[in-house]
Amino acid sequence: MAKPILFPLLFITTTVFLGFFISSAESRPPFACDPRNGLTRSLKFCRANLPIHVRARDLIGRLTLAEKIRLLVNNAAAVPRLGIQGYEWWSEALHGVSNVGPGTKFGGAFPGATSFPQVITTAASFNESLWEQIGRVVSDEARAMYNGGMAGLTYWSPNVNIFRDPRWGRGQETPGEDPVLAGKYAANYVRGLQSPTGIRLKVAACCKHYTAYDLDNWNGVDRYHFNARVSKQDLADTYDVPFKSCVVEGKVASVMCSYNQVNGKPTCADPDLLKGTIRGQWGLSGYIVSDCDSVGVMYDTQHFTATPEESAAAAIKAGLDLDCGPFLAIHTDLAVRRGLLAEADVDLALANTITIQMRLGMFDGEPSAQPYGNLGPRDVCTPAHQQLALEAARQGIVLLKNSGSLPLSTARHRTVAVVGPNSDVTVTMIGNYAGVACGYTSPLQGISRYARTIHQAGCSDVACDTNNLFGAAEVAAHEADATVLVMGLDQSIEAEFRDRVGLLLPGRQQELVSRVARASRGPTVLVLMSGGPIDVSFAKNDPRVSAIIWAGYPGQAGGTAIADVLFGTTNPGGKLPMTWYPQDYVAKVPMTNMGMRPSRGYPGRTYRFYKGSVVFPFGHGLSYTSFKHSLALAPTDLSVLLDTNLFATKNYSTLSSNAIRVKHAKCDSLSSLFHIDVENTGNMDGTHTLLVFSTPPAGQKWSPNKQLIGFHRVHVIAGSKQRVKINIHACKHLSVVDEFGIRRIPMGSHSLHIGDLKHSISLQANLEGIKV
């Protein structure tokens, strides 16, 4: 049987990084405050027993303006006279430590790192504890690589933009189309990455790209020129929700502003978005960074200001603290000399970045003497980490269709034809913003552990331009007891700056699937690798294609996970985190239309607002067993208490449209506990994801069709029952956003959809015991 290829752990290798040589088996030299440096070790900013704000203020006070300006960019310059080394801020850790940014290198004692499934796949697990656990593993490996001089401590991940349009090439990086799901993913992954101990951080995460960014390059419009016209309602109701969760619940150390404009203003120069919302309303305790070169784009491409120094001043005054790119290093000095910017504005930006560096321990002397200082090569690609990558892939795989042929049997299906351009891939499985994996198990290798395989690619690549290899694939299918087609997409079809044109399988892939299914002697299973949805209506409706599996981009262990699902070692429990639309949907919807709600001739977006036909709906996912739901405890009414000061000030807008402003309700008392029994009525143990949706009372014109308000993943042994407790909070879960961007709680009967159950709960306004 094929086995994953694992990198040997080497412990004595010399590596070059950021201008200095270190032995990979030794700790890196201190970034600052080296106790061996008599000139700096006693300086106030080096005294770890002082409050961080005192230390940061002391350091900033010692810097010249020229030194300050060179610290405003990602490749921050050294300050030798103060014993401070240069630092590269840009590292990535979207689903494992990545070498996309210049801050991280692989080699020597660190030849690779654990590569987890792409985010869209992991999101399909709907498993909050898994997301946090992955974050902890990734940050362990990141710290280990930092200690070895191969990485930084600031990671510009995760991407929490809403997967609004199915063609978006970067949708694969996101947790999907639902703002609640994306927000919960964001908070949990950030908590895992940062693993805070008090104010101290293991690494610093960054939620990106704020805001309303989900177009890269479509139909002649690119992200550098795009002006996203977004209503206040959609901004508050959809686009901003994951970012708020990142900051408020995840306590993220950083937020990245995006390339695009929002309503005519570059996000990185909008004080309402940066100072007003991120730092003011949500209370960010950290720094705001630009997407790479976006400050330059603001001037060079969007022509936002007449001079470059005006753009530099506008960005810093709006609340930007760090520029990924050289623009601020070049133009800030003139902005200050011309009076467009005060040095105090620069100081404020530096206070935010330096504070994070101090929270990371970068000014505390020897890294080896600090928490996590013992992490090293032995803590990267460990068996436990690789097992978690496999488990994450298993949990994220979604069974879309099953006519009874799955799971396959090792007794009946001894020979399996493995066909398709993605049937023996490795790097494809880790998607984009990945690093170098510890090792790979391809689908072919995984299936070979269960059965004898006959392999035919069918297409030379996913473009599948010709059918000259189809005949051999048909022969293989005819000879085998079962056929598995591994088809779909890769980064040549969907990627950063590469949005898709349509939703069909590329080239002649559909023809290959149909021809092989006709030739197959046994059951035919279609496995799809992709980040975005694919219109496979032909296979869904073809009885000769007996099962369909979506594996997303399943990470380094993807082939093992796929095979485990195919042969029933794993009972699939994933659910789709995005709607799978038919091809004709995209003909009605330009990517440039940011509206979520339907309007004349415009069908709306995502399951929350789109009412048309779908190939597979959001939340869809089958199992090899069956589950039954019953309500053990379900309140039928909830009294919404109002602040007594409202009517004294005649604030009648509180009850506009019979919906109460959330900020005027006593939210602490507005929750109800629901008990749901989940029974496994089948013959196989399985994990069930319970999704809870709410539908507001009829007549609320600005409300969604339904919205996800909670989810819970539970393992249930065959023939047994598990009780799930879900707390429904009126302010968080039963509120909607009106056309002015104000969140309100509609009074009246709300419908809760819990699995196959429907339950009503009535909300009534109550002013200190007096119903209104």
Side-chain angles (χ1 to χ4, degrees):
M1 291 185 182
K3 295 183 178 179
I5 302 169
L6 302 182
F7 288 118
L9 292 179
L10 306 174
F11 297 109
I12 305 177
T13 304
T14 300
T15 304
V16 182
F17 182 65
L18 293 181
F20 54 85
F21 289 85
I22 69 167
S23 166
S24 299
E26 300 172 358
S27 64
R28 67 185 299 148
F31 164 76
C33 302
D34 190 335
R36 293 161 294 194
N37 185 338
L39 296 176
T40 63
R41 65 189 177 194
S42 61
L43 295 179
K44 197 171 184 179
F45 67 81
C46 289
R47 290 161 60 183
N49 61 325
L50 293 177
I52 284 179
H53 73 275
V54 173
R55 300 170 66 196
R57 185 168 61 239
D58 177 74
L59 172 55
I60 293 168
R62 297 175 187 272
L63 297 170
T64 67
L65 178 61
E67 288 169 336
K68 292 174 182 179
I69 289 171
R70 283 297 289 122
L71 298 180
L72 293 174
V73 291
N74 62 291
N75 56 338
V79 188
R81 67 182 185 86
L82 295 178
I84 300 171
Q85 295 192 33
Y87 180 68
E88 176 55 69
W89 285 83
W90 180 8
S91 290
E92 302 278 356
L94 184 68
H95 52 108
V97 179
S98 167
N99 56 353
V100 169
T104 302
K105 311 290 181 188
F106 288 106
F110 300 95
T114 308
S115 192
F116 289 90
Q118 182 58 287
V119 175
I120 194 72
T121 310
T122 307
S125 71
F126 283 82
N127 187 342
E128 294 186 64
S129 62
L130 173 67
W131 302 333
E132 183 170 343
Q133 193 176 4
I134 291 172
R136 290 185 182 277
V137 165
V138 172
S139 57
D140 274 352
E141 298 195 350
R143 262 286 177 173
M145 292 181 67
Y146 172 78
N147 292 341
M150 301 294 280
L153 288 177
T154 46
Y155 289 85
W156 293 347
S157 305
N159 179 343
V160 299
N161 292 116
I162 295 296
F163 196 173
R164 170 190 62 99
D165 190 290
R167 293 162 290 194
W168 188 30
R170 302 188 72 177
Q172 60 182 293
E173 303 172 28
T174 77
E177 72 180 35
D178 181 79
V180 169
L181 171 62
K184 287 185 179 293
Y185 176 88
N188 281 281
Y189 188 63
V190 165
R191 276 194 289 262
L193 274 182
Q194 298 190 159
S195 299
T197 303
I199 64 169
R200 299 287 177 157
L201 304 173
K202 194 201 304 184
V203 304
C206 173
C207 289
K208 62 185 185 184
H209 314 80
Y210 183 74
T211 182
Y213 167 68
D214 52 9
L215 178 151
D216 269 67
N217 188 13
W218 176 82
N219 200 29
V221 180
D222 66 42
R223 60 189 183 180
Y224 308 121
H225 297 84
F226 182 49
N227 177 23
R229 299 192 179 278
V230 186
S231 69
K232 290 181 178 180
Q233 183 176 34
D234 285 340
L235 202 62
D237 186 44
T238 299
Y239 296 111
D240 280 3
V241 173
F243 292 96
K244 181 178 181 181
S245 180
C246 252
V247 176
V248 176
E249 296 174 35
K251 308 298 182 186
V252 74
S254 175
V255 173
M256 176 183 287
C257 50
S258 54
Y259 290 112
N260 57 289
Q261 297 185 357
V262 172
N263 299 327
K265 187 175 289 188
T267 63
C268 292
D270 190 336
D272 292 333
L273 293 179
L274 305 189
K275 280 187 175 178
T277 301
I278 298 175
R279 202 173 291 284
Q281 293 179 28
W282 301 341
L284 173 72
S285 178
Y287 70 98
I288 299 173
V289 61
S290 73
D291 206 341
C292 294
D293 292 321
S294 62
V295 183
V297 165
M298 183 193 313
Y299 171 72
D300 295 321
T301 305
Q302 299 175 356
H303 309 298
F304 180 61
T305 62
T307 65
E309 58 269 23
E310 287 174 326
S311 283
I316 293 173
K317 290 169 75 172
L320 187 72
D321 303 308
L322 186 69
D323 176 17
C324 178
F327 197 89
L328 291 187
I330 297 169
H331 300 292
T332 301
D333 180 66
L334 185 55
V336 173
R337 286 194 283 115
R338 285 187 54 194
L340 301 171
L341 187 68
E343 187 171 350
D345 295 319
V346 176
D347 291 349
L348 187 58
L350 290 182
N352 292 325
T353 54
I354 290 170
T355 294
I356 291 300
Q357 289 181 311
M358 289 182 172
R359 291 175 64 190
L360 289 164
M362 293 173 67
F363 286 84
D364 292 350
E366 291 286 358
S368 60
Q370 298 176 34
Y372 312 112
N374 62 327
L375 295 174
R378 295 177 182 84
D379 301 292
V380 180
C381 289
T382 68
H385 293 182
Q386 297 193 61
Q387 182 63 33
L388 184 64
L390 171 58
E391 182 58 28
R394 287 169 172 161
Q395 291 192 25
I397 289 174
V398 182
L399 180 61
L400 298 174
K401 171 187 175 180
N402 188 17
S403 301
S405 62
L406 289 184
L408 299 177
S409 165
T410 53
R412 296 192 310 274
H413 306 112
R414 297 185 178 184
T415 302
V416 177
V418 184
V419 176
N422 282 336
S423 58
D424 197 26
V425 295
T426 53
V427 175
T428 295
M429 297 191 299
I430 61 177
N432 71 348
Y433 276 81
V436 178
C438 310
Y440 296 98
T441 304
S442 73
L444 176 63
Q445 289 174 314
I447 294 169
S448 295
R449 296 176 175 179
Y450 287 94
R452 186 176 75 87
T453 56
I454 308 171
H455 179 235
Q456 291 291 334
C459 305
S460 58
D461 54 34
V462 294
C464 201
D465 292 326
T466 67
N467 63 1
N468 58 348
L469 300 177
F470 287 12
E474 290 173 294
V475 170
H478 185 68
E479 293 177 353
D481 301 319
T483 298
V484 177
L485 287 141
V486 191
M487 313 296 287
L489 314 177
D490 65 15
Q491 301 306 302
S492 70
I493 304 295
E494 55 176 357
E496 185 170 10
F497 216 65
R498 184 175 292 125
D499 296 327
R500 293 157 68 196
V501 176
L503 303 182
L504 300 176
L505 284 168
R508 307 183 77 160
Q509 284 196 41
Q510 179 172 326
E511 179 188 346
L512 175 61
V513 172
S514 297
R515 284 177 55 171
V516 167
R518 283 195 297 269
S520 182
R521 182 161 57 88
T524 299
V525 180
L526 174 60
V527 176
L528 297 167
M529 281 192 199
S530 72
I534 305 171
D535 183 352
V536 287
S537 300
F538 78 97
K540 177 184 175 183
N541 299 324
D542 186 346
R544 290 167 297 202
V545 178
S546 54
I548 305 174
I549 286 173
W550 178 66
Y553 293 123
Q556 63 176 51
T560 300
I562 290 168
D564 288 347
V565 169
L566 288 171
F567 283 89
T569 302
T570 296
N571 189 350
K575 304 286 187 184
L576 288 179
M578 73 296 205
T579 302
W580 283 39
Y581 301 91
Q583 168 68 12
D584 62 4
Y585 171 81
V586 296
K588 308 169 188 173
V589 183
M591 278 192 77
T592 49
N593 189 327
M594 301 296 291
M596 298 300 298
R597 289 158 173 79
S599 57
R600 293 184 299 274
Y602 179 72
R605 295 185 180 276
T606 77
Y607 80 93
R608 296 164 66 224
F609 303 104
Y610 171 68
K611 296 181 180 179
S613 62
V614 300
V615 181
F616 295 109
F618 174 89
H620 176 72
L622 306 175
S623 171
Y624 294 150
T625 189
S626 54
F627 297 95
K628 179 183 176 182
H629 310 93
S630 57
L631 289 172
L633 176 65
T636 57
D637 55 68
L638 181 63
S639 183
V640 179
L641 292 175
L642 303 181
D643 191 324
T644 52
N645 296 322
L646 295 178
F647 287 90
T649 57
K650 298 185 177 180
N651 195 336
Y652 299 121
S653 67
T654 294
L655 286 170
S656 172
S657 302
N658 197 31
I660 293 170
R661 287 191 183 208
V662 164
K663 69 178 183 179
H664 293 162
K666 293 190 173 181
C667 289
D668 292 344
S669 61
L670 297 181
S671 63
S672 292
L673 190 63
F674 285 72
H675 292 185
I676 303 107
D677 287 335
V678 180
E679 183 179 0
N680 185 337
T681 57
N683 300 316
M684 188 177 190
D685 296 352
T687 299
H688 180 60
T689 300
L690 188 70
L691 304 180
V692 182
F693 298 91
S694 73
T695 300
Q700 302 290 345
K701 62 180 180 179
W702 15 265
S703 300
N705 304 325
K706 65 176 183 178
Q707 59 187 7
L708 183 71
I709 60 174
F711 51 87
H712 189 87
R713 187 177 174 97
V714 59
H715 186 76
V716 189
I717 297 170
S720 72
K721 184 186 297 184
Q722 290 282 349
R723 177 160 294 179
V724 176
K725 298 178 181 179
I726 293 183
N727 197 35
I728 306 297
H729 194 284
C731 293
K732 291 181 181 178
H733 302 136
L734 302 181
S735 60
V736 296
V737 175
D738 69 16
E739 59 264 49
F740 304 105
I742 298 170
R743 187 164 288 278
R744 296 179 177 276
I745 310 169
M747 297 297 102
S749 180
H750 293 249
S751 295
L752 299 183
H753 308 265
I754 307 167
D756 51 5
L757 300 175
K758 188 174 180 180
H759 176 77
S760 294
I761 181 169
S762 180
L763 270 58
Q764 188 167 17
N766 189 312
L767 183 63
E768 295 297 327
I770 304 172
K771 293 182 179 180
V772 294

